[in-house]
Amino acid sequence: MERSKMILPDHEIIEECRDVCRATVGVYVLTSCYGCQLVMATVQKIMEIANLVDFKCFYMVSSKSSMHEPVDIAFVEGSVSTEKDLEELKEVRKNAKVLVAIGACAVNGGVQSWSEGDLNYDELYASVYGDSKIKYKGLQAAPIDSYVKVDYFLPGCPPEEDEIMYFLSTFLFGSYPEEIDYPVCAECRLEGNPCILIESDAPCLGPITVAGCKARCPSFGVPCIGCRGPVPHDNSWFDSLALIFRNKGYSKDYIRERMKIFCSFDKNLEERLEKVFGRKK
Ligand code: SF4
Ligand code: SF4
Ligand code: SF4
């Protein structure tokens, strides 16, 4: 499914949400570490809007949750990694007016999708489970928009608290969340950090990773590993970054592996690598 077609706001849906006195919200989990919903459950500011929201499904905070009820806004965490995930995702989509993919697993497949395009999934599966009888068949981990229409994408591993509040608030105001289309480097500069890529040759993926985390890792001297996924609309500085990596002696395979940790579903990766490594120095 083509992502750019899905991030356009559906005003009719949003208007409908605004008319509801208390927006009904569901938080659903597929294959994941539960980290995104843990952040959601502990966002203190949610208390400030608690009387505007009715959580119909949020198993981490209430055992009275039901995933079978209709909701205005559904937040889905995790990648589709089993047939059960897929069944549940389809039901959530059917019941939700607005569906938000929350976190790197739901948005880009997450680290569990790392083998995509490299290794044979059935062979991997057999090497782990052998002939064991497993109730729900496993599937190669994939972002949720591989299977259903997603209205909005909230990246991060996990997303930042203020972004969660931003998403929820815009829906409650009858508006919609705007996409970030600039890289981590922009925030890194604002934080006043020295550039560890230029100054220390650290393989930082900040130039091609979508901002929003306030350059969390480079602020501690740790190179960005791309957990928030690629900057949308091909707005990234991939060529110049890959060229810097190349000039610093990193190989094509090294760059590919590093970029695939969170973004193995980035279909443009090979083409872009070829642009840099396919030409003579
Ligand atoms: S995106 Fe990160 S924090 Fe969220 S569920 Fe996946 S691994 Fe956990
Ligand atoms: S490459 Fe890394 S360290 Fe340098 S500005 Fe960008 S995010 Fe910061
Ligand atoms: S700096 Fe990079 S790896 Fe670290 S939180 Fe931000 S996007 Fe993720």
Side-chain angles (χ1 to χ4, degrees):
M1 220 174 268
E2 217 184 305
R3 209 166 266 184
S4 58
K5 286 190 184 147
M6 290 181 293
I7 52 178
L8 296 173
D10 186 331
H11 290 287
E12 275 181 28
I13 291 175
I14 298 293
E15 279 298 312
E16 245 181 277
C17 283
R18 187 167 56 174
D19 291 343
V20 181
C21 310
R22 273 161 65 89
T24 50
V25 176
V27 181
Y28 308 90
V29 56
L30 308 177
T31 298
S32 70
C33 80
Y34 284 42
C36 295
Q37 58 172 310
L38 181 62
V39 171
M40 276 193 98
T42 54
V43 174
Q44 289 300 315
K45 284 194 168 175
I46 280 190
M47 296 312 294
E48 291 171 15
I49 55 167
N51 62 340
L52 299 172
V53 179
D54 180 5
F55 282 103
K56 292 289 180 197
C57 180
F58 197 167
Y59 282 102
M60 188 173 273
V61 298
S62 171
S63 54
K64 289 189 184 145
S65 295
S66 164
M67 67 160 295
H68 306 295
E69 289 190 45
V71 290
D72 297 315
I73 307 152
F75 289 91
V76 178
E77 169 196 274
S79 62
V80 177
S81 306
T82 64
E83 286 184 342
K84 180 168 178 281
D85 284 339
L86 185 53
E87 255 173 51
E88 292 184 356
L89 175 64
K90 285 180 177 169
E91 182 172 358
V92 170
R93 176 67 276 187
K94 196 162 47 108
N95 288 337
K97 290 176 184 160
V98 172
L99 189 146
V100 182
I102 175 169
C105 298
V107 174
N108 288 311
V111 289
Q112 59 268 43
S113 65
W114 202 347
S115 66
E116 166 69 15
D118 281 349
L119 303 169
N120 180 293
Y121 177 76
D122 292 332
E123 283 172 17
L124 277 177
Y125 192 84
S127 72
V128 175
Y129 296 105
D131 297 329
S132 313
K133 291 213 179 335
I134 309 282
K135 191 170 174 194
Y136 292 101
K137 189 175 175 301
L139 300 169
Q140 165 62 339
I144 64 174
D145 72 336
S146 301
Y147 292 102
V148 297
K149 176 180 182 285
V150 174
D151 301 299
Y152 302 98
F153 297 88
L154 172 46
C157 184
E160 302 295 317
E161 286 190 16
D162 56 358
E163 286 184 293
I164 292 171
M165 278 305 290
Y166 171 63
F167 268 61
L168 262 176
S169 314
T170 53
F171 292 138
L172 295 177
F173 278 123
S175 180
Y176 58 89
E178 286 190 21
E179 229 183 346
I180 297 176
D181 61 359
Y182 50 87
V184 172
C185 286
E187 292 181 332
C188 193
R189 302 288 79 209
L190 288 173
E191 294 293 314
N193 299 326
C195 178
I196 53 176
L197 170 64
I198 302 299
E199 295 184 19
S200 321
D201 294 352
C204 185
L205 295 184
I208 53 170
T209 301
V210 68
C213 61
K214 299 188 177 63
R216 186 181 292 276
C217 302
S219 297
F220 289 97
V222 176
C224 172
I225 203 165
C227 82
R228 292 179 58 85
V231 182
H233 313 300
D234 278 341
N235 274 359
S236 66
W237 309 328
F238 176 84
D239 289 8
S240 49
L241 173 68
L243 202 56
I244 291 172
F245 278 173
R246 175 176 150 160
N247 292 341
K248 288 185 184 295
Y250 292 113
S251 70
K252 181 179 179 180
D253 286 345
Y254 176 83
I255 298 174
R256 181 193 295 108
E257 285 311 304
R258 193 162 178 79
M259 292 185 62
K260 280 190 69 179
I261 296 172
F262 284 94
C263 299
S264 54
F265 275 79
D266 181 353
K267 303 233 170 340
N268 299 324
L269 179 56
E270 282 309 314
E271 189 190 322
R272 289 189 290 178
L273 282 170
E274 192 49 35
K275 262 199 221 164
V276 176
F277 285 91
R279 68 185 180 206
K280 293 203 169 95
K281 272 191 180 180

